[in-house]
Structure formats: C-alpha cells, structure tokens
C-alpha cells in the first residue's frame, strides 16, 4: 500500500489533476482502471468556468504547453461525484478568491471521504499570480482555511528553483494541517512556437504551463529537497515528466510515496497506468 496523507493506495500511480478529470465519464474511467491508484478531479472553482480561448493545449516532442484557464463544472459537481468513485478520491480545489476557497473548504468539512488537493500553483489565470510563489499570502491563506476546515489536506505546489525557497515553504507547511504535497505543477509561463513562428497556444500571448519529460529534473529536485526537509511528516506525491517505470523509480528514490502522470496520460490514454509498472509504451 502507498500512503498519501491519511489514505492508502493499492497502486502507486494515478492521474494528475487536469488530465481526464473534468467530467463524470472521465473520472469514472479512472475509477474503473485497476492500475490507477486514485482519482483526482480537475481543479474546480465555486462556479462553473469555460476556461481560456482555444487553442489552449499543444504538444511538442512528448512535452506539452497549456493555458486551459481552469475550465470546470463547478465544485459541487465534483463533490457530488464522490458516490461513483470507489478508490481514494481527491478534489483539486482552486477558488478564484480567498472567499471562494473558504466557502468551498467550509462545505467540504461535511465530506471527510473527499481528500482536498488545494491547488496553489495554476499559472494560467490572466491577472492572477500563483499563490505558491507569494509566501506571506500563502501562509495567511492557509491560516484562514484552517479556521473553517478542520481536516488535514494537501497542496499542489509549483516548482521552486532556489534552496531558500524550499526552506521557506517547508517552514510554512510544517505550521499547518498539510498531510501531503504534490510536486510539481506545470512549469509556468513557457513559450512555444509552431513551425510558422506563431505562438502554439492563444491565451496570454502564448504563455503557458510546460509539462512532460523536459520538466522531470525539476520534479525530481522538488521531491527530493522537500523530502530532505519534511522527512516522513508530510507525504510527497511526485509529478512531472513521467513516461516510464524508470522515471517512477527515480521519483520514489527521491522520496515520493506515489506518483501522478499528466502529459503522458493526455497523450496516450488509460493504458499508461499499467504500462508504467513495467516499461515504456514504445
Ligand atoms: O486549468 C489550467 O490552466 C491549469 C491549472 Br488550474 C493548473 O494547475 N496547471 C496547469 O498547467 N493548467
């Protein structure tokens, strides 16, 4: 069994939020896959959202850039889908304001079977910076959440690139009811052109979050550096560029107790869960 916070997974690999996780059909397909250890919803907001204009996803050499802009059906939709999920269920929460987050967390107090993965690292909302990069605001927000939410919860973190930042974030985590962290979200605000020198995606002048094998070294460093600071006090879920069982081994070696797969799942579908236990697909 593989521990993530207060839940135990039968398989160590599951989906990253945002991939195959926006609709009931998609979430049930994760539930029904025997090699997928848990189910994570698309990050959700208080009200449904269309997201950013298309094209907003583009793949290049097995990597991806996205600026989806939080398209989702509203948090109540994902809350009420819990009845259809018979393995650990994580709701990724990404309210647009502190007040929205407080409303969602307060309501989810009544559903202890739902685990919260609080997303503090979405790089794609025009005009909104990533909470995970504003340490003072992050600390303040977690304090306010814990006034209304009494269970432990997890955080989806952005990649950090500086040892001092790992120190500072670890100190904040250890002061709060954080049971697990997911390292890392997409690497924010990259730029990719198509062959005609047009930006590959449309929103935010072409800027978006980068996923896939090119970000794996940052996923690994974030997992290992948080593990060095947090030990076994907080579970760590590795995410970023996984395309083989060797990649999974590296994340586990770095301190992860489970792994999520994003771009590779988007590109190859549900077959990846079984394949990642053995070797590469092709
Ligand atoms: O919806 C998105 O644009 C998105 C989110 Br919320 C996120 O956390 N990470 C990402 O790459 N895209």
């Amino acid at each position: 069994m593989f521990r993530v916070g207060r839940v135990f997974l039968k398989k160590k690999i599951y989906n990253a939020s945002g991939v195959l996780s926006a609709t009931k059909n998609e979430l049930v397909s994760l539930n029904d896959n025997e090699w997928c250890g848990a189910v994570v919803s698309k990050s959700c907001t208080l009200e449904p959202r269309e997201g950013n204009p298309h094209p907003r996803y583009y793949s290049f050499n097995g990597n991806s850039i996205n600026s989806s802009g939080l398209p989702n059906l509203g948090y109540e939709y994902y809350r009420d889908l819990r009845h259809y999920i018979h393995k650990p269920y994580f709701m990724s929460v990404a309210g647009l304001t502190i007040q929205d987050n407080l409303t969602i967390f307060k309501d989810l107090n009544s559903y202890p079977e739902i685990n919260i993965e609080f997303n503090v690292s979405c790089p794609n909302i025009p005009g909104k910076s990533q909470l995970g990069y504003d340490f003072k605001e992050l600390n303040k927000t977690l304090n306010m959440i814990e006034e209304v939410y009494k269970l432990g919860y997890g955080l989806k973190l952005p990649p950090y690139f500086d040892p001092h930042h790992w120190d500072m974030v670890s100190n904040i985590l250890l002061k709060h009811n954080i049971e697990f962290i997911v390292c890392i979200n997409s690497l924010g605000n990259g730029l990719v052109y198509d062959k005609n020198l047009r930006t590959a995606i449309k929103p935010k002048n072409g800027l978006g979050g980068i996923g896939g094998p090119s970000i794996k070294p940052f996923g690994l460093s974030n997992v290992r550096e948080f593990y060095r600071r947090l030990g076994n006090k907080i579970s760590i879920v590795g995410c970023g560029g996984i395309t083989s069982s060797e990649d999974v081994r590296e994340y586990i070696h770095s301190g992860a107790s489970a792994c999520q797969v994003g771009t590779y799942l988007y590109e190859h579908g549900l077959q990846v869960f079984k394949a990642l236990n053995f070797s590469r697909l092709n």
Side-chain angles (χ1 to χ4, degrees):
M1 297 284 258
F2 307 94
R3 181 174 179 174
V4 177
R6 65 176 179 277
V7 297
F8 289 87
L9 280 49
K10 290 198 183 115
K11 302 282 186 222
K12 61 179 171 295
I13 301 163
Y14 57 113
N15 73 298
S17 174
V19 182
L20 220 58
S21 57
T23 64
K24 178 180 167 190
N25 271 352
E26 291 178 338
L27 292 162
V28 168
S29 75
L30 295 169
N31 177 71
D32 292 348
N33 186 296
E34 63 174 313
W35 292 91
C36 175
V39 175
V40 192
S41 77
K42 170 66 188 163
S43 292
C44 59
T45 48
L46 191 59
E47 304 292 342
R49 279 171 62 83
E50 294 269 337
N52 290 338
H54 294 266
R56 60 194 188 188
Y57 179 95
Y58 179 82
S59 65
F60 58 104
N61 311 325
N63 298 293
S64 63
I65 181 167
N66 90 85
S67 184
S68 307
L70 264 174
N72 77 93
L73 294 165
Y75 92 98
E76 289 168 321
Y77 178 86
Y78 301 102
R79 179 196 68 195
D80 296 341
L81 280 181
R82 69 192 181 282
H83 300 297
Y84 298 92
I85 312 293
H86 309 294
K87 54 178 76 162
Y89 181 41
F90 296 85
M91 254 177 78
S92 173
V93 172
L96 292 177
T97 64
I98 177 67
Q99 200 47 56
D100 286 1
N101 281 318
L102 292 177
T103 304
I104 296 170
F105 270 88
K106 195 169 180 185
D107 182 45
L108 292 181
N109 255 316
S110 309
Y111 306 91
E113 68 274 36
I114 296 175
N115 302 277
I116 300 183
E117 183 183 295
F118 182 32
N119 183 356
V120 296
S121 48
C122 177
N124 296 333
I125 306 303
K128 259 186 71 103
S129 62
Q130 292 165 79
L131 189 58
Y133 285 145
D134 184 339
F135 302 140
K136 208 171 145 197
E137 204 56 33
L138 177 66
N139 189 50
K140 208 169 105 188
T141 302
L142 301 185
N143 283 339
M144 291 169 80
I145 282 172
E146 289 171 21
E147 294 279 314
V148 301
Y149 188 72
K150 298 304 168 191
L151 296 162
Y153 56 101
L155 294 183
K156 175 81 169 271
L157 294 174
Y160 301 100
F161 307 98
D162 185 309
H164 183 54
H165 291 171
W166 286 310
D167 291 339
M168 291 179 67
V169 175
S170 297
N171 286 338
I172 294 171
L173 298 175
L174 289 168
K175 283 196 300 182
H176 290 91
N177 290 341
I178 305 301
E179 291 182 339
F180 67 92
I181 54 175
V182 182
C183 301
I184 56 176
N185 206 323
S186 59
L187 211 146
N189 295 297
L191 179 61
V192 176
Y193 292 114
D194 66 16
K195 60 181 183 318
N196 299 314
L197 280 183
R198 280 191 292 253
T199 61
I201 55 171
K202 187 173 169 195
K204 283 181 67 185
N205 293 317
L207 299 182
I210 307 295
S214 61
I215 73 165
K216 192 185 75 174
F218 301 101
L220 289 174
S221 66
N222 275 267
V223 167
R224 199 195 63 182
E225 292 307 307
F226 277 117
Y227 186 70
R228 274 157 46 85
R229 289 161 175 81
L230 305 170
N232 292 321
K233 295 194 190 97
I234 294 176
S235 311
I236 303 178
V237 180
C239 183
I242 290 176
T243 66
S244 71
S245 58
E246 290 79 11
D247 296 334
V248 174
R249 237 179 101 227
E250 290 181 346
Y251 271 103
I252 303 290
H253 178 71
S254 302
S257 56
C259 286
Q260 295 181 354
V261 54
T263 298
Y264 197 54
L265 172 60
Y266 188 99
E267 295 294 328
H268 297 275
L270 292 164
Q271 59 174 330
V272 304
F273 292 115
K274 182 173 182 188
L276 286 173
N277 286 274
F278 302 104
S279 60
R280 264 170 220 283
L281 274 177
N282 42 40

